[in-house]
Amino acid sequence: MYVSHIECSKCSARYEPGKILQLCGQCQSPVWVRYDLNAVAKAVDREKIRGRAASLWRYRELLPVRDDANIVSLGEGMTPLVPLGRIGKSIGLPNLLLKDEGIIPTGSFKARGAAVGVSMAKELGVKTLCMPTAGNAGGAWSAYAASAGLNSVILMPADAQEINKKECAVAGAKLYFVNGILNDAGVIAGKAVRKHGWYDASTLKEPYRIEGKKTMGLEIAEQMHWRVPDVIVYPTGGGVGIIAIHKALLELRELGWIAEKMPRLVAVQSSACAPIPKAWQEGKLESEYWQNPKTTIPGLRVPKALGDFLVLRAIYDTKGCGVAVSDEEAYAAQRQLARAEGCFICPEGAAALAAAAQLAKSNWIQPHESVVLLNTAAGLKYPETVGFNAPVLEKTDEIPDCSGEDRP
Ligand SMILES: *Cc1c(COP(=O)(O)O)cnc(C)c1O
Ligand SMILES: [Zn+2]
């Protein structure tokens, strides 16, 4: 509708929209969608959007699908922005908010990228898509491909979570397990795509997933009445989420819907696989391959992202930073949050909480500042990350009065 062209994110080569395009033909970098924002501003305003249905398609003019008939939707978007007053106060950030992407079809924010990505694949006449995944992306793309009637071929590390394997299988994906990590699955997928002429839906190898994920940034701005927070903290793997939020904010600024000042974007990784924080600390524009990525947090186990330079650009451009937290700190934050606020979040989101606490402690974030944490998936998708300690009773047993005790 309002797409003007497709543009390389590195060399700015221009491409015509409406055709299948994977990476830039000139420099093999990710390409992204550009809009005629003047025309968008004439067609729609913030007031008009306010009255629309609570789905990510409310930002229709800023999304690439040409024909509404191609929209594949399972009801994604407009996830809640939950105030975390109690835990916020305890870490010195009273204005702490959680954008909870656990409450979305397939239980992770990957649904946003899949909704827009699969809609575009359908519009472009794709029959079979193929992708390597750490788990959640596979689950989301399998589900949306099923809804669109497309074939999906999904490759994931053999040690991926059971639930991710099952959600692909139940949605009818052709599923393969790879003895290796995500990058190894990517190599096999790449070969298959070239050989069979499939659509490569890998992270950043098509321009539309980022457009779907962009709606997280649009929603945060709208939910905060178009006054953006001071800081946004994002658990970063392939980097699509943080790149997409940056793109959203730039487009909103150009539309005049938000003021000049940008939130500082923070990329969080595990200290057992931290190529982005390392590159940021060294002032580099690209990351180095992280040898032997040992983190147990699946969404963060990306030793080198194709779009690393875009993540770093988003950080530098907004005066943000890269932060590494240990897996243990992330799991501790996950339990702490559930107890304090009732939110059972994924370990990736918990890493963002641990990072925010660290940044508050070092005064990089001031107590008066507003901070939005992204919880990228439901804790319910990660049942083995938490335990319990509950006695087993016989029918005739009684239990003591614990009403006077402190909460555990
Ligand atoms: C994929 C994923 C991430 C990483 O997201 P990117 O946008 O690729 O950086 C973080 N958390 C969860 C739960 C994920 O599934
Ligand atoms: Zn290029």
Side-chain angles (χ1 to χ4, degrees):
M1 291 202 325
Y2 295 93
V3 174
S4 58
H5 61 286
I6 310 291
E7 186 184 86
C8 175
S9 61
K10 193 167 232 169
C11 76
S12 299
R14 284 173 75 110
Y15 297 91
E16 231 181 283
K19 292 183 176 154
I20 290 180
L21 179 62
Q22 309 251 222
L23 293 173
C24 172
Q26 308 287 322
C27 74
Q28 303 302 312
S29 299
V31 292
W32 49 25
V33 182
R34 292 298 186 200
Y35 298 84
D36 179 350
L37 292 174
N38 286 325
V40 171
K42 285 201 192 97
V44 68
D45 57 24
R46 297 179 295 183
E47 201 49 42
K48 224 181 208 168
I49 284 173
R50 189 150 75 136
R52 293 184 179 169
S55 97
L56 63 76
W57 299 100
R58 66 202 273 111
Y59 308 108
R60 185 72 184 86
E61 289 82 358
L62 289 169
L63 293 171
V65 182
R66 190 170 300 174
D67 183 352
D68 279 352
N70 293 320
I71 290 179
V72 184
S73 176
L74 300 172
E76 56 289 333
M78 265 303 168
T79 53
L81 197 57
V82 185
L84 301 182
R86 198 173 291 136
I87 203 153
K89 250 186 223 132
S90 77
I91 62 171
L93 298 174
N95 303 312
L96 186 65
L97 297 156
L98 183 76
K99 177 76 172 156
D100 193 357
E101 295 287 302
I103 298 163
I104 201 167
T106 76
S108 91
F109 82 115
K110 295 292 196 301
R112 294 181 189 267
V116 175
V118 171
S119 296
M120 283 307 297
K122 184 175 169 194
E123 188 159 276
L124 296 172
V126 168
K127 297 278 176 276
T128 301
L129 58 85
C130 176
M131 72 181 334
T133 173
N136 284 329
W141 284 72
S142 303
Y144 283 86
S147 174
L150 304 186
N151 298 319
S152 53
V153 181
I154 310 285
L155 296 93
M156 62 173 80
D159 64 354
Q161 301 203 103
E162 287 294 300
I163 182 65
N164 292 137
K165 297 174 178 172
K166 287 180 179 171
E167 59 184 335
C168 294
V170 78
K174 185 86 187 137
L175 183 59
Y176 294 95
F177 303 137
V178 177
N179 283 322
I181 64 167
L182 179 60
N183 289 51
D184 304 313
V187 171
I188 299 176
K191 273 191 232 158
V193 160
R194 282 191 298 275
K195 183 151 185 201
H196 308 305
W198 294 337
Y199 188 64
D200 192 341
S202 308
T203 303
L204 290 170
K205 288 197 183 162
E206 52 75 54
Y208 306 113
R209 190 202 284 212
I210 192 168
E211 294 304 299
K213 292 190 175 183
K214 186 177 84 178
T215 57
M216 286 186 289
L218 302 176
E219 287 178 19
I220 290 169
E222 186 182 1
Q223 287 171 314
M224 298 189 73
H225 310 289
W226 307 103
R227 285 164 56 177
V228 295
D230 294 299
V231 179
I232 296 178
V233 187
Y234 203 94
T236 302
V240 187
I242 191 165
I243 296 167
I245 288 175
H246 186 220
K247 186 172 191 281
L249 294 166
L250 290 171
E251 288 174 2
L252 289 176
R253 198 161 73 170
E254 202 169 324
L255 283 168
W257 293 4
I258 60 171
E260 278 297 302
K261 194 175 149 276
M262 283 280 190
R264 310 200 297 283
L265 298 180
V266 177
V268 179
Q269 294 194 311
S270 160
S271 46
C273 178
I276 298 288
K278 180 167 183 284
W280 175 75
Q281 249 155 21
E282 295 169 351
K284 300 229 169 99
L285 298 178
E286 270 184 39
S287 66
E288 276 166 46
Y289 189 94
W290 190 275
Q291 297 298 337
N292 197 8
K294 277 208 215 74
T295 177
T296 57
I297 303 179
L300 305 185
R301 201 163 58 168
V302 180
K304 168 141 172 94
L306 185 60
D308 58 351
F309 66 104
L310 297 171
V311 175
L312 288 158
R313 194 191 288 173
I315 295 176
Y316 292 128
D317 194 48
T318 61
K319 301 191 168 57
C321 68
V323 180
V325 299
S326 70
D327 289 11
E328 293 70 34
E329 286 172 301
Y331 291 120
Q334 185 192 32
R335 287 189 296 273
Q336 202 189 349
L337 180 64
R339 273 167 201 207
E341 310 274 4
C343 304
F344 180 16
I345 65 174
C346 66
E348 292 86 349
L353 173 59
Q358 187 179 309
L359 292 170
K361 213 168 172 186
S362 68
N363 263 331
W364 192 90
I365 308 178
Q366 307 277 312
H368 67 272
E369 291 187 305
S370 54
V371 181
V372 171
L373 301 177
L374 267 292
N375 174 42
T376 41
L380 293 175
K381 289 190 90 173
Y382 301 73
E384 63 297 326
T385 57
V386 296
F388 46 77
N389 179 14
V392 177
L393 304 177
E394 300 308 324
K395 280 182 199 163
T396 51
D397 285 347
E398 290 185 15
I399 58 171
D401 180 10
C402 61
S403 53
E405 291 174 22
D406 284 343
R407 283 172 36 76

